Amino acid sequence: MISITRRLFLSLAAALAPASAIAHHGWGGYDTSKSFTVTGKILKSTFANPHCEIEMEVDGKHWHFVLAPPARMQARGATADLIAVGKTCTVFGYPHTSKPDEARIEYIVLEGKRIELR
């Protein structure tokens, strides 16, 4: 016989599983045949799960760039201080297929150092 505590735990886990699956997206929405590189000043920076993000203004266009998760960023030397607002960086990435202002970043160049994010 399954205890009430175990039933409650299993019910809660089953209820939360779909939410966690929705929270993380795949990379299929980005067009890897149209890579690009841009350099600009960081206007907004988020160093949080599920992915770090930065926003930049480049040639009159406002971009939203999706980076790696914080743990991977830190493991590769890209700290929150390096992607802080006001810093200049270069990104190489792929545009989103349906969001014209968003791109997934493959690598970032911070203070002259190239950091692979995938």
Side-chain angles (χ1 to χ4, degrees):
M1 180 146 178
I2 297 176
S3 72
I4 284 238
T5 306
R6 185 169 177 181
R7 273 191 236 164
L8 181 59
F9 171 77
L10 292 173
S11 297
L12 202 58
L16 294 176
S20 64
I22 292 169
H24 189 272
H25 53 85
W27 296 118
Y30 297 90
D31 188 349
T32 57
S33 71
K34 296 181 179 175
S35 64
F36 66 94
T37 304
V38 295
T39 301
K41 190 174 281 193
I42 298 171
L43 303 175
K44 183 177 178 185
S45 175
T46 305
F47 203 86
N49 283 315
H51 296 278
C52 296
E53 300 174 4
I54 58 174
E55 292 183 21
M56 295 178 3
E57 187 87 20
V58 180
D59 296 329
K61 181 175 182 174
H62 189 91
W63 280 100
H64 173 234
F65 295 124
V66 180
L67 308 174
R72 186 178 312 148
M73 296 279 288
Q74 289 177 324
R76 297 187 179 168
T79 63
D81 291 341
L82 284 177
I83 63 165
V85 171
K87 300 274 186 152
T88 298
C89 70
T90 299
V91 295
F92 170 87
Y94 308 109
H96 197 281
T97 56
S98 63
K99 299 175 186 172
D101 64 338
E102 182 177 309
R104 175 190 98 176
I105 302 306
E106 195 72 23
Y107 70 80
I108 188 168
V109 179
L110 300 160
E111 297 181 356
K113 181 180 174 189
R114 177 178 161 157
I115 301 168
E116 298 290 332
L117 301 181
R118 303 292 157 225

